[in-house]
Amino acid sequence: MPRRYSAALFYFLFFSTGIGVMLLSVLIPYLHLNLTDAQIGRLLATQFTGQLLGALLVARRIEHSLLAGLVLVCLSAILLASEHRIIVPVLFFYGLGMGITMTATNIAMGMESRPEDRVARLELLNVFWPLGAISAPLIVRVLKAYGASLYSLIAFLMLAACIWFFIRGVHLSQIAEAEKETTSVNLRQLVHFCLLSFCAVGIDTSISNWMPVTGRRFFPDTETITLAPALFWSGILIGRALTSRIAHRVHWRSIVVWSSLVCALAIVGASLSASALLFLVATFVAALFVAPLYPAVLAQSVTLRGKNLIFFFAGIGSALVPWLVGVLSTSVESLRIGIALPAVLAFGLLLLGAPWIGKGRERI
C-alpha cells in the first residue's frame, strides 16, 4: 500500500517543534531581564500546561488533528511575534498547538509504518526533535536582536508544513485504514503503557535538567557545565540513530530492559563520580541508553485505544520527575542522592518492560 506522505514531512515537523518548544526558555533572558524566577516559572508552566493538554485533544482523525495543531501554532506564533513580547494567554494556545502537533505527528508516523518498521521509524523520527532543540540557542544567538519576533520563524515553519501537507495530499489513506484497526486495550494494559511512558520520559528529562547542575555543583573548576549538555544531546542523537538501525532485529522489550539497566548503572556512576571525566562519560552513557526508551514504548502503543493518555502521562513524567529530584535533594541535603531517583525509575522501567509483565501486547 503506497504511503501518501513522505516521512520527510514528519521529520521536518519534529525538527520545527524542537525549535518551537525550546524558543521560550532561550528567549527569556533577552526579553524579560527583570522577571523573578517565579514569573519565569509561570511562563514556562503556561506553555508546558498547553502542551500537556494538547496531547489529550488529538482526535481519531489524525490528519485533522495534525492540521489543527499546525494552524493553532502558526496563528499563536504570529500574535507573539507581532506584539514583540510574551503574552501569557497566547503562550498557552501556542503550547496547546505544539502538544497537538507533536502527539499527532508521533501517532501519524506510527500508524503509517508497517508493524515491523514501527520502532525503527519512531526512533529515527525522535532524532529530529533534539536536533531542533539544539538549533534554538544558535538561532537566538544569531538573531537575538529580533526578540519575540523570532516567533515569526515558527509561524513560517508551520505554514510551510501546512502547504506541504496539502501538496502531498490531505487524505492519509494508510493512516485512515490503520485507525479502523485501532486495537482495543484493557485497563491493565493501558496503565502498563502509561507507566512505561511516564518512567521513560521522566528519566530522560531528569538527566537533561540535572546533570549540568550536578556537574557545576561538584566540578566547578572544569568545563563540565558546558560539556555535560553537549554530551547528553550527542548521546540522545546517537542512541536513537543506532536503535533505528537495529530495531528490526531486536525485540522492543529487549531494548527497554537492557537500555534501562545500563542507563540506571550509568546514573548511579554519575552520582558517585569523583572526577569530572568519569561524570561526563557516565552522563553520555546514560543519555545513549535512555534515548531509545520512549520511542520503543510509543511504537507499541500508537494503535491502542486511549493512546492519548499515554502521551499525557509522558508529559506528567517530564514535569514531575525532575521536580521530585529537587525535592529529594533538598530534603536529604544531598544532590548525589537526589539524582539517583531516575536510576530507581530506570530499574522500575526494567521490571515493567520484562517479558512477564503486560503479556499480550508483544507486537502491534
Side-chain angles (χ1 to χ4, degrees):
M1 188 184 303
R3 290 191 179 93
R4 298 291 301 189
Y5 283 141
S6 165
L9 172 58
F10 300 129
Y11 299 150
F12 175 78
L13 279 175
F14 250 43
F15 178 79
S16 301
T17 55
I19 298 173
V21 169
M22 293 301 297
L23 192 58
L24 175 64
S25 60
V26 180
L27 272 178
I28 281 175
Y30 299 104
L31 295 178
H32 298 285
L33 298 177
N34 297 320
L35 287 182
T36 65
D37 287 349
Q39 290 171 321
I40 292 173
R42 280 195 289 273
L43 285 177
L44 296 171
T46 297
Q47 178 176 305
F48 171 77
T49 301
Q51 290 172 212
L52 188 62
L53 294 176
L56 296 176
L57 297 181
V58 175
R60 287 194 64 188
R61 294 299 300 272
I62 301 301
E63 70 272 25
H64 293 169
S65 295
L66 186 55
L67 183 58
L70 290 173
V71 171
L72 185 56
V73 173
C74 187
L75 294 176
S76 302
I78 289 172
L79 286 173
L80 290 170
S82 63
E83 291 292 328
H84 301 287
R85 60 190 178 92
I86 304 299
I87 308 169
V88 173
V90 177
L91 186 63
F92 171 80
F93 286 103
Y94 176 84
L96 193 71
M98 282 290 178
I100 294 171
T101 301
M102 291 187 293
T103 303
T105 302
N106 261 315
I107 295 173
M109 174 66 95
M111 286 187 162
E112 191 192 47
S113 306
R114 293 175 300 180
E116 61 270 24
D117 296 334
R118 195 167 286 143
V119 174
R121 296 193 74 202
L122 282 171
E123 291 285 354
L124 187 57
L125 173 68
N126 281 273
V127 166
F128 285 84
W129 199 95
L131 281 175
I134 293 169
S135 301
L138 301 177
I139 292 170
V140 171
R141 186 175 299 177
V142 173
L143 303 174
K144 62 184 177 183
Y146 293 94
S149 60
L150 277 176
Y151 278 98
S152 59
L153 171 64
I154 305 302
F156 172 77
L157 293 174
M158 296 300 110
L159 180 61
C162 287
I163 294 171
W164 193 343
F165 189 97
F166 283 107
I167 289 175
R168 297 294 300 183
V170 171
H171 302 293
L172 282 172
S173 58
Q174 190 163 347
I175 292 177
E177 289 195 16
E179 286 170 348
K180 294 177 184 177
E181 299 171 3
T182 298
T183 309
S184 297
V185 61
N186 60 41
L187 181 59
R188 177 175 172 272
Q189 290 171 329
L190 184 59
V191 169
H192 178 234
F193 278 98
C194 285
L195 289 174
L196 282 169
S197 66
F198 174 89
C199 292
V201 177
I203 296 164
D204 186 327
T205 53
S206 295
I207 298 171
S208 64
N209 283 284
W210 281 102
M211 286 307 184
V213 176
T214 305
R216 180 172 56 187
R217 179 85 52 88
F218 296 115
F219 311 105
D221 298 326
T222 67
E223 294 298 319
T224 306
I225 186 174
T226 303
L227 290 174
L231 286 172
F232 172 80
W233 288 114
S234 297
I236 291 291
L237 294 173
I238 295 170
R240 287 177 180 166
L242 289 176
T243 307
S244 71
R245 302 300 300 270
I246 67 170
H248 298 90
R249 301 187 294 274
V250 181
H251 195 279
W252 76 276
R253 286 190 181 275
S254 297
I255 293 173
V256 170
V257 168
W258 289 107
S259 293
S260 298
L261 176 60
V262 178
C263 178
L265 295 175
I267 296 170
V268 171
S271 68
L272 298 177
S273 294
S275 75
L277 178 60
L278 289 176
F279 175 82
L280 291 172
V281 170
T283 297
F284 175 77
V285 172
L288 187 70
F289 283 89
V290 78
L293 292 174
Y294 185 51
V297 172
L298 286 187
Q300 303 307 310
S301 56
V302 290
T303 60
L304 292 176
R305 295 191 191 281
K307 55 184 168 287
N308 294 40
L309 280 174
I310 296 167
F311 288 95
F312 184 74
F313 271 82
I316 293 175
S318 71
L320 184 60
V321 179
W323 175 74
L324 288 175
V325 170
V327 170
L328 178 61
S329 174
T330 302
S331 64
V332 300
E333 299 183 345
S334 173
L335 183 54
R336 290 189 185 277
I337 293 177
I339 62 170
L341 177 61
V344 175
L345 282 183
F347 282 117
L349 190 59
L350 185 157
L351 295 176
L352 286 169
W356 56 86
I357 303 293
K359 272 196 149 183
R361 287 297 302 162
E362 291 301 313
R363 305 293 294 179
I364 299 293

